[in-house]
Amino acid sequence: NAGVTQTPKFRILKIGQSMTLQCTQDMNHNYMYWYRQDPGMGLKLIYYSVGAGITDKGEVPNGYNVSRSTTEDFPLRLELAAPSQTSVYFCASSLLQETNTEAFFGQGTRLTVV
Amino acid sequence: AQKITQTQPGMFVQEKEAVTLDCTYDTSDQSYGLFWYKQPSSGEMIFLIYQGSYDEQNATEGRYSLNFQKARKSANLVISASQLGDSAMYFCAMREALGTSYGKLTFGQGTILTVHP
């Protein structure tokens, strides 16, 4: 059982480049989340999705876009990368029937923008 | 407005002693869930314990317990008999069940726990 899989694990981007961080889960979870974690800091919600075709902004959506065409996949798109987007990105998913289902996290993607 | 507040940037505890990590939250929902996660230096996020807003008893999972005080909107994590392997960053999180924040999972700033031998 793979759980939540993120690719790539590491990436270096030049300023102005774009890329897509991939996230897929095989648990048939309806909820999916993207967070960023700056060094020594907490997790800030970028975007989240309550199901295929439905996404909503979190705390820090600027500079990012998402789509949710299937239950399994929730890619995060960075357009025009900036040094401020240097961070570790986590994808998570959960099965929301009530509030008591924990989120399962991927291993993270460490992104550096130079 | 900050939904989850962890006021202790760092905590130290002696091995085998108990430690409490503080967490306060802000919500107008009646139905919500509170979670604690551990993040060791390797970076992965490990789920520890859950408390529902309607649960009458404090949650416990092995050496972890959650001191839930609903009127004070606090959900402190208690780790008993600390071990060296407990040294990590700990995050409190909340998921709301209703309103415009439906399903959103919000994290606090984290507390770095260091266990001394």
Side-chain angles (χ1 to χ4, degrees), chain B residues 2 5-7 16-17 29 32 38 42 51 54 59 63 66 71 74 79 96 99 101 104 107 115:
Chain B
Q2 190 71 29
T5 302
Q6 295 179 253
T7 57
K16 299 180 186 177
E17 292 186 347
D29 284 352
Y32 52 88
K38 173 184 178 181
S42 51
Q51 178 83 43
Y54 292 118
R63 294 187 298 111
L66 205 152
S74 74
I79 305 175
E96 295 162 288
S101 296
K104 189 182 292 185
F107 283 79
V115 180

Side-chain angles (χ1 to χ4, degrees), chain A residues 63-83:
Chain A
Y64 307 94
N65 277 301
V66 293
S67 60
R68 184 96 182 268
S69 56
T70 66
T71 299
E72 296 78 18
D73 299 309
F74 190 41
L76 178 71
R77 178 83 177 162
L78 279 73
E79 306 281 2
L80 298 174

Side-chain angles (χ1 to χ4, degrees), chain A residues 5-73:
Chain A
T5 303
Q6 288 183 239
T7 55
K9 288 187 169 54
F10 303 93
R11 182 73 185 268
I12 298 175
L13 276 183
K14 293 185 178 179
I15 294 172
Q17 287 186 320
S18 60
M19 75 165 293
T20 299
L21 280 68
Q22 301 292 344
C23 176
T24 188
Q25 52 90 9
D26 62 357
M27 297 174 282
N28 202 30
H29 285 173
N30 48 349
Y31 274 66
M32 296 189 75
Y33 308 86
W34 273 107
Y35 295 91
R36 60 175 286 173
Q37 184 180 26
D38 298 332
M41 304 294 284
L43 281 75
K44 294 184 179 179
L45 184 63
I46 305 172
Y47 273 96
Y48 69 110
S49 170
V50 305
I54 306 170
T55 62
D56 205 351
K57 296 178 180 179
E59 299 174 74
V60 290
N62 292 343
Y64 307 94
N65 277 301
V66 293
S67 60
R68 184 96 182 268
S69 56
T70 66
T71 299
E72 296 78 18
D73 299 309

Side-chain angles (χ1 to χ4, degrees), chain A residues 2 4-5 12 14 18 33-34 39-40 57-58 76 78 86-87 89 93-94 96 100 104 108 110:
Chain A
V4 180
T5 303
I12 298 175
K14 293 185 178 179
S18 60
Y33 308 86
W34 273 107
K57 296 178 180 179
L76 178 71
L78 279 73
T86 294
S87 191
Y89 291 82
S93 73
S94 66
L96 192 73
N100 65 337
F104 293 81
R110 187 174 297 274

